[in-house]
mmCIF file of all heavy atoms in Angstrom:
data_model
loop_
_atom_site.group_PDB
_atom_site.id
_atom_site.type_symbol
_atom_site.label_atom_id
_atom_site.label_comp_id
_atom_site.label_asym_id
_atom_site.label_seq_id
_atom_site.Cartn_x
_atom_site.Cartn_y
_atom_site.Cartn_z
ATOM 1 N N ALA A 26 13.594 4.931 -119.508
ATOM 2 C CA ALA A 26 13.192 3.584 -118.889
ATOM 3 C C ALA A 26 12.003 3.792 -117.919
ATOM 4 O O ALA A 26 11.740 4.887 -117.502
ATOM 5 C CB ALA A 26 14.368 2.992 -118.133
ATOM 6 N N TRP A 27 11.281 2.670 -117.803
ATOM 7 C CA TRP A 27 10.210 2.671 -116.816
ATOM 8 C C TRP A 27 10.601 1.721 -115.655
ATOM 9 O O TRP A 27 11.257 0.643 -115.887
ATOM 10 C CB TRP A 27 8.909 2.124 -117.428
ATOM 11 C CG TRP A 27 8.248 3.108 -118.287
ATOM 12 C CD1 TRP A 27 8.331 3.197 -119.670
ATOM 13 C CD2 TRP A 27 7.290 4.086 -117.951
ATOM 14 N NE1 TRP A 27 7.564 4.201 -120.182
ATOM 15 C CE2 TRP A 27 6.923 4.759 -119.123
ATOM 16 C CE3 TRP A 27 6.658 4.386 -116.707
ATOM 17 C CZ2 TRP A 27 5.962 5.802 -119.089
ATOM 18 C CZ3 TRP A 27 5.761 5.429 -116.743
ATOM 19 C CH2 TRP A 27 5.419 6.092 -117.885
ATOM 20 N N PHE A 28 10.284 2.143 -114.476
ATOM 21 C CA PHE A 28 10.493 1.382 -113.276
ATOM 22 C C PHE A 28 9.187 1.254 -112.512
ATOM 23 O O PHE A 28 8.249 2.017 -112.806
ATOM 24 C CB PHE A 28 11.596 1.967 -112.388
ATOM 25 C CG PHE A 28 12.966 2.101 -113.026
ATOM 26 C CD1 PHE A 28 13.254 3.134 -113.929
ATOM 27 C CD2 PHE A 28 13.970 1.151 -112.839
ATOM 28 C CE1 PHE A 28 14.480 3.203 -114.495
ATOM 29 C CE2 PHE A 28 15.218 1.242 -113.353
ATOM 30 C CZ PHE A 28 15.403 2.260 -114.211
ATOM 31 N N ARG A 29 9.125 0.368 -111.496
ATOM 32 C CA ARG A 29 7.983 0.322 -110.740
ATOM 33 C C ARG A 29 8.314 -0.057 -109.302
ATOM 34 O O ARG A 29 9.308 -0.728 -109.034
ATOM 35 C CB ARG A 29 6.853 -0.692 -111.264
ATOM 36 C CG ARG A 29 7.346 -2.116 -111.252
ATOM 37 C CD ARG A 29 6.283 -3.022 -112.007
ATOM 38 N NE ARG A 29 6.691 -4.418 -112.018
ATOM 39 C CZ ARG A 29 6.053 -5.347 -112.707
ATOM 40 N NH1 ARG A 29 4.977 -5.013 -113.372
ATOM 41 N NH2 ARG A 29 6.461 -6.653 -112.652
ATOM 42 N N GLN A 30 7.455 0.352 -108.333
ATOM 43 C CA GLN A 30 7.749 -0.042 -106.950
ATOM 44 C C GLN A 30 6.414 -0.415 -106.328
ATOM 45 O O GLN A 30 5.422 0.434 -106.244
ATOM 46 C CB GLN A 30 8.299 1.195 -106.205
ATOM 47 C CG GLN A 30 8.690 0.828 -104.768
ATOM 48 C CD GLN A 30 9.611 1.967 -104.174
ATOM 49 O OE1 GLN A 30 9.735 3.047 -104.637
ATOM 50 N NE2 GLN A 30 10.341 1.557 -103.128
ATOM 51 N N ALA A 31 6.297 -1.678 -105.935
ATOM 52 C CA ALA A 31 5.163 -2.176 -105.205
ATOM 53 C C ALA A 31 5.258 -1.907 -103.693
ATOM 54 O O ALA A 31 6.318 -1.795 -103.242
ATOM 55 C CB ALA A 31 5.007 -3.689 -105.491
ATOM 56 N N PRO A 32 4.127 -1.950 -103.017
ATOM 57 C CA PRO A 32 4.151 -1.655 -101.597
ATOM 58 C C PRO A 32 5.086 -2.659 -100.866
ATOM 59 O O PRO A 32 4.970 -3.860 -101.054
ATOM 60 C CB PRO A 32 2.704 -1.818 -101.122
ATOM 61 C CG PRO A 32 1.970 -1.533 -102.380
ATOM 62 C CD PRO A 32 2.761 -2.072 -103.464
ATOM 63 N N GLY A 33 5.992 -2.111 -100.075
ATOM 64 C CA GLY A 33 6.928 -2.986 -99.264
ATOM 65 C C GLY A 33 7.994 -3.540 -100.047
ATOM 66 O O GLY A 33 8.805 -4.411 -99.533
ATOM 67 N N LYS A 34 8.139 -3.161 -101.326
ATOM 68 C CA LYS A 34 9.217 -3.784 -102.151
ATOM 69 C C LYS A 34 10.100 -2.643 -102.735
ATOM 70 O O LYS A 34 9.809 -1.561 -102.722
ATOM 71 C CB LYS A 34 8.640 -4.553 -103.389
ATOM 72 C CG LYS A 34 7.877 -5.806 -102.886
ATOM 73 C CD LYS A 34 7.400 -6.644 -104.105
ATOM 74 C CE LYS A 34 6.736 -7.950 -103.584
ATOM 75 N NZ LYS A 34 6.318 -8.759 -104.807
ATOM 76 N N GLU A 35 11.334 -3.131 -103.193
ATOM 77 C CA GLU A 35 12.219 -2.145 -103.757
ATOM 78 C C GLU A 35 11.740 -1.778 -105.205
ATOM 79 O O GLU A 35 11.117 -2.551 -105.870
ATOM 80 C CB GLU A 35 13.630 -2.733 -103.824
ATOM 81 C CG GLU A 35 14.219 -2.987 -102.489
ATOM 82 C CD GLU A 35 15.685 -3.483 -102.551
ATOM 83 O OE1 GLU A 35 16.157 -3.736 -103.609
ATOM 84 O OE2 GLU A 35 16.285 -3.517 -101.403
ATOM 85 N N ARG A 36 12.212 -0.642 -105.613
ATOM 86 C CA ARG A 36 11.912 -0.203 -107.006
ATOM 87 C C ARG A 36 12.657 -1.170 -107.994
ATOM 88 O O ARG A 36 13.781 -1.541 -107.774
ATOM 89 C CB ARG A 36 12.423 1.178 -107.243
ATOM 90 C CG ARG A 36 11.942 1.814 -108.510
ATOM 91 C CD ARG A 36 12.215 3.311 -108.491
ATOM 92 N NE ARG A 36 11.424 4.021 -107.450
ATOM 93 C CZ ARG A 36 11.457 5.348 -107.365
ATOM 94 N NH1 ARG A 36 11.988 6.109 -108.246
ATOM 95 N NH2 ARG A 36 10.779 5.910 -106.305
ATOM 96 N N GLU A 37 11.925 -1.593 -108.979
ATOM 97 C CA GLU A 37 12.507 -2.444 -109.955
ATOM 98 C C GLU A 37 12.383 -1.963 -111.388
ATOM 99 O O GLU A 37 11.482 -1.275 -111.733
ATOM 100 C CB GLU A 37 11.864 -3.839 -109.835
ATOM 101 C CG GLU A 37 10.406 -3.878 -110.216
ATOM 102 C CD GLU A 37 9.863 -5.338 -110.336
ATOM 103 O OE1 GLU A 37 10.605 -6.371 -110.176
ATOM 104 O OE2 GLU A 37 8.653 -5.468 -110.597
ATOM 105 N N PHE A 38 13.308 -2.433 -112.199
ATOM 106 C CA PHE A 38 13.267 -2.073 -113.627
ATOM 107 C C PHE A 38 12.175 -2.818 -114.302
ATOM 108 O O PHE A 38 11.891 -4.022 -114.066
ATOM 109 C CB PHE A 38 14.723 -2.466 -114.205
ATOM 110 C CG PHE A 38 14.686 -2.466 -115.690
ATOM 111 C CD1 PHE A 38 14.758 -1.285 -116.404
ATOM 112 C CD2 PHE A 38 14.638 -3.678 -116.408
ATOM 113 C CE1 PHE A 38 14.822 -1.272 -117.839
ATOM 114 C CE2 PHE A 38 14.632 -3.676 -117.807
ATOM 115 C CZ PHE A 38 14.740 -2.469 -118.526
ATOM 116 N N VAL A 39 11.562 -2.140 -115.265
ATOM 117 C CA VAL A 39 10.507 -2.790 -116.103
ATOM 118 C C VAL A 39 10.890 -2.835 -117.589
ATOM 119 O O VAL A 39 10.786 -3.895 -118.138
ATOM 120 C CB VAL A 39 9.183 -1.977 -115.936
ATOM 121 C CG1 VAL A 39 8.036 -2.594 -116.908
ATOM 122 C CG2 VAL A 39 8.685 -1.952 -114.489
ATOM 123 N N ALA A 40 11.262 -1.737 -118.165
ATOM 124 C CA ALA A 40 11.491 -1.696 -119.607
ATOM 125 C C ALA A 40 12.400 -0.488 -119.879
ATOM 126 O O ALA A 40 12.339 0.566 -119.196
ATOM 127 C CB ALA A 40 10.274 -1.594 -120.386
ATOM 128 N N SER A 41 13.109 -0.570 -120.940
ATOM 129 C CA SER A 41 14.006 0.607 -121.407
ATOM 130 C C SER A 41 13.895 0.728 -122.914
ATOM 131 O O SER A 41 13.602 -0.200 -123.620
ATOM 132 C CB SER A 41 15.426 0.409 -120.911
ATOM 133 O OG SER A 41 15.949 -0.734 -121.557
ATOM 134 N N ILE A 42 14.216 1.972 -123.430
ATOM 135 C CA ILE A 42 14.255 2.123 -124.877
ATOM 136 C C ILE A 42 15.389 3.101 -125.156
ATOM 137 O O ILE A 42 15.627 4.040 -124.414
ATOM 138 C CB ILE A 42 12.880 2.686 -125.369
ATOM 139 C CG1 ILE A 42 12.905 2.860 -126.858
ATOM 140 C CG2 ILE A 42 12.540 4.054 -124.664
ATOM 141 C CD1 ILE A 42 11.475 3.117 -127.418
ATOM 142 N N SER A 43 16.076 2.834 -126.289
ATOM 143 C CA SER A 43 17.239 3.663 -126.640
ATOM 144 C C SER A 43 16.782 5.008 -127.156
ATOM 145 O O SER A 43 15.616 5.130 -127.581
ATOM 146 C CB SER A 43 18.045 2.920 -127.665
ATOM 147 O OG SER A 43 17.339 2.723 -128.847
ATOM 148 N N TRP A 44 17.685 5.956 -127.244
ATOM 149 C CA TRP A 44 17.298 7.305 -127.782
ATOM 150 C C TRP A 44 16.991 7.190 -129.259
ATOM 151 O O TRP A 44 16.240 8.048 -129.673
ATOM 152 C CB TRP A 44 18.509 8.307 -127.468
ATOM 153 C CG TRP A 44 19.644 8.089 -128.424
ATOM 154 C CD1 TRP A 44 19.967 8.794 -129.568
ATOM 155 C CD2 TRP A 44 20.781 7.179 -128.224
ATOM 156 N NE1 TRP A 44 21.078 8.282 -130.161
ATOM 157 C CE2 TRP A 44 21.620 7.314 -129.327
ATOM 158 C CE3 TRP A 44 21.055 6.258 -127.271
ATOM 159 C CZ2 TRP A 44 22.798 6.623 -129.503
ATOM 160 C CZ3 TRP A 44 22.271 5.529 -127.379
ATOM 161 C CH2 TRP A 44 23.075 5.704 -128.497
ATOM 162 N N THR A 45 17.556 6.148 -129.917
ATOM 163 C CA THR A 45 17.270 5.975 -131.372
ATOM 164 C C THR A 45 15.893 5.350 -131.570
ATOM 165 O O THR A 45 15.431 5.314 -132.731
ATOM 166 C CB THR A 45 18.298 5.098 -131.991
ATOM 167 O OG1 THR A 45 18.241 3.805 -131.349
ATOM 168 C CG2 THR A 45 19.679 5.696 -131.882
ATOM 169 N N THR A 46 15.246 4.816 -130.537
ATOM 170 C CA THR A 46 13.920 4.129 -130.581
ATOM 171 C C THR A 46 14.106 2.708 -131.155
ATOM 172 O O THR A 46 13.130 1.973 -131.111
ATOM 173 C CB THR A 46 12.875 4.847 -131.339
ATOM 174 O OG1 THR A 46 13.110 4.654 -132.726
ATOM 175 C CG2 THR A 46 12.803 6.262 -131.049
ATOM 176 N N THR A 47 15.294 2.259 -131.529
ATOM 177 C CA THR A 47 15.409 1.016 -132.167
ATOM 178 C C THR A 47 15.631 -0.139 -131.280
ATOM 179 O O THR A 47 15.532 -1.326 -131.687
ATOM 180 C CB THR A 47 16.505 1.022 -133.309
ATOM 181 O OG1 THR A 47 17.714 1.434 -132.615
ATOM 182 C CG2 THR A 47 16.160 1.996 -134.415
ATOM 183 N N SER A 48 16.013 0.125 -130.034
ATOM 184 C CA SER A 48 16.406 -0.930 -129.148
ATOM 185 C C SER A 48 15.456 -0.837 -127.838
ATOM 186 O O SER A 48 15.289 0.259 -127.358
ATOM 187 C CB SER A 48 17.834 -0.923 -128.702
ATOM 188 O OG SER A 48 18.709 -1.128 -129.797
ATOM 189 N N THR A 49 15.002 -2.001 -127.455
ATOM 190 C CA THR A 49 14.188 -2.045 -126.273
ATOM 191 C C THR A 49 14.608 -3.317 -125.449
ATOM 192 O O THR A 49 15.144 -4.258 -125.978
ATOM 193 C CB THR A 49 12.708 -2.165 -126.526
ATOM 194 O OG1 THR A 49 12.443 -3.296 -127.393
ATOM 195 C CG2 THR A 49 12.255 -0.882 -127.251
ATOM 196 N N TYR A 50 14.321 -3.158 -124.165
ATOM 197 C CA TYR A 50 14.582 -4.334 -123.268
ATOM 198 C C TYR A 50 13.561 -4.477 -122.186
ATOM 199 O O TYR A 50 13.126 -3.378 -121.749
ATOM 200 C CB TYR A 50 15.961 -4.206 -122.703
ATOM 201 C CG TYR A 50 16.434 -5.431 -121.874
ATOM 202 C CD1 TYR A 50 16.956 -6.519 -122.491
ATOM 203 C CD2 TYR A 50 16.296 -5.452 -120.485
ATOM 204 C CE1 TYR A 50 17.322 -7.664 -121.800
ATOM 205 C CE2 TYR A 50 16.662 -6.530 -119.781
ATOM 206 C CZ TYR A 50 17.232 -7.698 -120.432
ATOM 207 O OH TYR A 50 17.515 -8.838 -119.702
ATOM 208 N N TYR A 51 13.141 -5.631 -121.803
ATOM 209 C CA TYR A 51 12.125 -5.834 -120.826
ATOM 210 C C TYR A 51 12.539 -6.778 -119.733
ATOM 211 O O TYR A 51 13.294 -7.772 -120.015
ATOM 212 C CB TYR A 51 10.846 -6.321 -121.466
ATOM 213 C CG TYR A 51 10.245 -5.511 -122.505
ATOM 214 C CD1 TYR A 51 10.711 -5.577 -123.877
ATOM 215 C CD2 TYR A 51 9.336 -4.515 -122.282
ATOM 216 C CE1 TYR A 51 10.170 -4.818 -124.895
ATOM 217 C CE2 TYR A 51 8.797 -3.694 -123.247
ATOM 218 C CZ TYR A 51 9.276 -3.835 -124.592
ATOM 219 O OH TYR A 51 8.679 -3.009 -125.526
ATOM 220 N N VAL A 52 12.075 -6.573 -118.569
ATOM 221 C CA VAL A 52 12.235 -7.605 -117.507
ATOM 222 C C VAL A 52 11.378 -8.721 -117.873
ATOM 223 O O VAL A 52 10.347 -8.645 -118.560
ATOM 224 C CB VAL A 52 11.839 -6.999 -116.126
ATOM 225 C CG1 VAL A 52 10.349 -6.772 -116.050
ATOM 226 C CG2 VAL A 52 12.242 -7.920 -115.010
ATOM 227 N N ASP A 53 11.830 -9.957 -117.565
ATOM 228 C CA ASP A 53 11.103 -11.177 -117.967
ATOM 229 C C ASP A 53 9.596 -11.236 -117.606
ATOM 230 O O ASP A 53 8.753 -11.744 -118.358
ATOM 231 C CB ASP A 53 11.801 -12.416 -117.474
ATOM 232 C CG ASP A 53 13.187 -12.793 -118.043
ATOM 233 O OD1 ASP A 53 13.460 -12.191 -119.177
ATOM 234 O OD2 ASP A 53 13.927 -13.548 -117.496
ATOM 235 N N SER A 54 9.268 -10.643 -116.522
ATOM 236 C CA SER A 54 7.951 -10.797 -116.025
ATOM 237 C C SER A 54 6.924 -10.013 -116.851
ATOM 238 O O SER A 54 5.792 -10.256 -116.748
ATOM 239 C CB SER A 54 7.787 -10.297 -114.523
ATOM 240 O OG SER A 54 8.254 -8.976 -114.454
ATOM 241 N N VAL A 55 7.349 -9.097 -117.700
ATOM 242 C CA VAL A 55 6.480 -8.324 -118.548
ATOM 243 C C VAL A 55 6.579 -8.534 -120.019
ATOM 244 O O VAL A 55 5.872 -8.045 -120.811
ATOM 245 C CB VAL A 55 6.583 -6.823 -118.219
ATOM 246 C CG1 VAL A 55 6.526 -6.537 -116.815
ATOM 247 C CG2 VAL A 55 7.885 -6.206 -118.832
ATOM 248 N N LYS A 56 7.561 -9.380 -120.370
ATOM 249 C CA LYS A 56 7.867 -9.641 -121.838
ATOM 250 C C LYS A 56 6.557 -10.240 -122.450
ATOM 251 O O LYS A 56 5.962 -11.148 -121.869
ATOM 252 C CB LYS A 56 8.998 -10.635 -121.985
ATOM 253 C CG LYS A 56 10.409 -9.948 -121.898
ATOM 254 C CD LYS A 56 11.483 -11.007 -122.069
ATOM 255 C CE LYS A 56 12.864 -10.380 -121.830
ATOM 256 N NZ LYS A 56 13.919 -11.293 -121.972
ATOM 257 N N GLY A 57 6.330 -9.771 -123.668
ATOM 258 C CA GLY A 57 5.055 -10.160 -124.387
ATOM 259 C C GLY A 57 3.808 -9.504 -123.892
ATOM 260 O O GLY A 57 2.800 -9.668 -124.527
ATOM 261 N N ARG A 58 3.800 -8.768 -122.783
ATOM 262 C CA ARG A 58 2.600 -8.104 -122.283
ATOM 263 C C ARG A 58 2.777 -6.538 -122.327
ATOM 264 O O ARG A 58 1.856 -5.872 -122.622
ATOM 265 C CB ARG A 58 2.314 -8.527 -120.909
ATOM 266 C CG ARG A 58 2.075 -9.993 -120.656
ATOM 267 C CD ARG A 58 1.570 -10.299 -119.291
ATOM 268 N NE ARG A 58 2.546 -9.941 -118.198
ATOM 269 C CZ ARG A 58 2.288 -9.082 -117.233
ATOM 270 N NH1 ARG A 58 1.127 -8.545 -117.123
ATOM 271 N NH2 ARG A 58 3.255 -8.867 -116.323
ATOM 272 N N PHE A 59 3.889 -6.028 -122.090
ATOM 273 C CA PHE A 59 4.246 -4.611 -122.093
ATOM 274 C C PHE A 59 5.013 -4.193 -123.288
ATOM 275 O O PHE A 59 5.817 -5.016 -123.832
ATOM 276 C CB PHE A 59 4.987 -4.249 -120.826
ATOM 277 C CG PHE A 59 4.259 -4.347 -119.527
ATOM 278 C CD1 PHE A 59 3.005 -4.982 -119.467
ATOM 279 C CD2 PHE A 59 4.773 -3.782 -118.405
ATOM 280 C CE1 PHE A 59 2.318 -5.071 -118.268
ATOM 281 C CE2 PHE A 59 4.103 -3.868 -117.157
ATOM 282 C CZ PHE A 59 2.891 -4.524 -117.171
ATOM 283 N N THR A 60 4.757 -2.965 -123.712
ATOM 284 C CA THR A 60 5.508 -2.450 -124.848
ATOM 285 C C THR A 60 5.942 -0.992 -124.530
ATOM 286 O O THR A 60 5.047 -0.135 -124.246
ATOM 287 C CB THR A 60 4.688 -2.436 -126.176
ATOM 288 O OG1 THR A 60 4.287 -3.747 -126.486
ATOM 289 C CG2 THR A 60 5.550 -1.954 -127.288
ATOM 290 N N ILE A 61 7.190 -0.738 -124.624
ATOM 291 C CA ILE A 61 7.788 0.563 -124.388
ATOM 292 C C ILE A 61 7.951 1.266 -125.703
ATOM 293 O O ILE A 61 8.392 0.632 -126.715
ATOM 294 C CB ILE A 61 9.031 0.629 -123.575
ATOM 295 C CG1 ILE A 61 9.484 2.013 -123.198
ATOM 296 C CG2 ILE A 61 10.211 -0.159 -124.335
ATOM 297 C CD1 ILE A 61 10.641 2.027 -122.155
ATOM 298 N N SER A 62 7.634 2.475 -125.816
ATOM 299 C CA SER A 62 7.871 3.276 -127.070
ATOM 300 C C SER A 62 8.049 4.676 -126.702
ATOM 301 O O SER A 62 7.965 5.132 -125.536
ATOM 302 C CB SER A 62 6.589 3.182 -127.973
ATOM 303 O OG SER A 62 5.457 3.697 -127.357
ATOM 304 N N ARG A 63 8.458 5.480 -127.690
ATOM 305 C CA ARG A 63 8.658 6.932 -127.511
ATOM 306 C C ARG A 63 8.367 7.706 -128.828
ATOM 307 O O ARG A 63 8.519 7.151 -129.860
ATOM 308 C CB ARG A 63 10.112 7.234 -127.042
ATOM 309 C CG ARG A 63 11.136 6.832 -128.040
ATOM 310 C CD ARG A 63 12.601 6.913 -127.402
ATOM 311 N NE ARG A 63 12.948 8.262 -127.033
ATOM 312 C CZ ARG A 63 13.982 8.582 -126.271
ATOM 313 N NH1 ARG A 63 14.738 7.566 -125.759
ATOM 314 N NH2 ARG A 63 14.208 9.822 -125.964
ATOM 315 N N ASP A 64 7.917 8.901 -128.590
ATOM 316 C CA ASP A 64 7.678 9.816 -129.692
ATOM 317 C C ASP A 64 8.607 11.035 -129.484
ATOM 318 O O ASP A 64 8.232 11.864 -128.666
ATOM 319 C CB ASP A 64 6.144 10.219 -129.773
ATOM 320 C CG ASP A 64 5.847 11.043 -130.955
ATOM 321 O OD1 ASP A 64 6.735 11.682 -131.497
ATOM 322 O OD2 ASP A 64 4.623 11.102 -131.259
ATOM 323 N N ASN A 65 9.689 11.078 -130.092
ATOM 324 C CA ASN A 65 10.601 12.126 -129.897
ATOM 325 C C ASN A 65 10.089 13.588 -130.326
ATOM 326 O O ASN A 65 10.576 14.509 -129.830
ATOM 327 C CB ASN A 65 11.980 11.770 -130.597
ATOM 328 C CG ASN A 65 12.765 10.672 -129.836
ATOM 329 O OD1 ASN A 65 12.493 10.477 -128.676
ATOM 330 N ND2 ASN A 65 13.722 10.196 -130.531
ATOM 331 N N ALA A 66 9.177 13.505 -131.289
ATOM 332 C CA ALA A 66 8.669 14.826 -131.682
ATOM 333 C C ALA A 66 7.767 15.352 -130.607
ATOM 334 O O ALA A 66 7.473 16.569 -130.503
ATOM 335 C CB ALA A 66 7.755 14.572 -132.926
ATOM 336 N N LYS A 67 7.256 14.445 -129.709
ATOM 337 C CA LYS A 67 6.302 14.990 -128.656
ATOM 338 C C LYS A 67 7.069 14.920 -127.310
ATOM 339 O O LYS A 67 6.411 15.246 -126.221
ATOM 340 C CB LYS A 67 5.116 14.092 -128.595
ATOM 341 C CG LYS A 67 4.182 14.230 -129.799
ATOM 342 C CD LYS A 67 2.923 13.361 -129.658
ATOM 343 C CE LYS A 67 2.041 13.580 -130.841
ATOM 344 N NZ LYS A 67 0.813 12.765 -130.699
ATOM 345 N N ASN A 68 8.320 14.597 -127.284
ATOM 346 C CA ASN A 68 9.027 14.455 -126.002
ATOM 347 C C ASN A 68 8.361 13.566 -125.000
ATOM 348 O O ASN A 68 8.246 13.902 -123.798
ATOM 349 C CB ASN A 68 9.302 15.852 -125.440
ATOM 350 C CG ASN A 68 10.441 16.580 -126.042
ATOM 351 O OD1 ASN A 68 11.015 16.100 -127.069
ATOM 352 N ND2 ASN A 68 10.807 17.714 -125.458
ATOM 353 N N THR A 69 7.830 12.447 -125.441
ATOM 354 C CA THR A 69 6.985 11.595 -124.622
ATOM 355 C C THR A 69 7.344 10.129 -124.815
ATOM 356 O O THR A 69 7.570 9.670 -125.916
ATOM 357 C CB THR A 69 5.542 11.775 -124.998
ATOM 358 O OG1 THR A 69 5.131 13.183 -124.743
ATOM 359 C CG2 THR A 69 4.667 10.941 -123.960
ATOM 360 N N ALA A 70 7.463 9.462 -123.696
ATOM 361 C CA ALA A 70 7.716 7.987 -123.729
ATOM 362 C C ALA A 70 6.453 7.296 -123.258
ATOM 363 O O ALA A 70 5.613 7.980 -122.484
ATOM 364 C CB ALA A 70 8.844 7.587 -122.826
ATOM 365 N N TYR A 71 6.108 6.109 -123.613
ATOM 366 C CA TYR A 71 4.985 5.376 -123.311
ATOM 367 C C TYR A 71 5.274 3.991 -122.826
ATOM 368 O O TYR A 71 6.306 3.433 -123.093
ATOM 369 C CB TYR A 71 4.078 5.254 -124.526
ATOM 370 C CG TYR A 71 3.698 6.584 -125.255
ATOM 371 C CD1 TYR A 71 4.485 7.079 -126.281
ATOM 372 C CD2 TYR A 71 2.641 7.314 -124.706
ATOM 373 C CE1 TYR A 71 4.150 8.301 -126.864
ATOM 374 C CE2 TYR A 71 2.293 8.562 -125.324
ATOM 375 C CZ TYR A 71 3.027 9.019 -126.392
ATOM 376 O OH TYR A 71 2.776 10.238 -126.991
#
């Protein structure tokens, strides 16, 4: 998952992705603008 923390604010959830890569979820404020993905061969999430 990705989270973010703005100055003076609490850390908040942004997006998550399952280990299978087939399921994702986004906070409403970033839907349609952000895309979470992962490359398990590279041990990297984006």
Side-chain angles (χ1 to χ4, degrees):
W27 285 92
F28 297 82
R29 65 186 179 185
Q30 187 165 17
K34 294 187 177 181
E35 294 185 352
R36 191 170 298 187
E37 65 171 355
F38 166 78
V39 176
S41 62
I42 186 167
S43 63
W44 75 96
T45 60
T46 78
T47 56
S48 296
T49 58
Y50 186 81
Y51 301 88
V52 68
D53 285 346
S54 60
V55 308
K56 282 181 181 177
R58 300 189 298 122
F59 290 12
T60 302
I61 189 172
S62 62
R63 64 190 294 165
D64 185 338
N65 284 343
K67 295 183 178 180
N68 280 9
T69 303
Y71 303 95

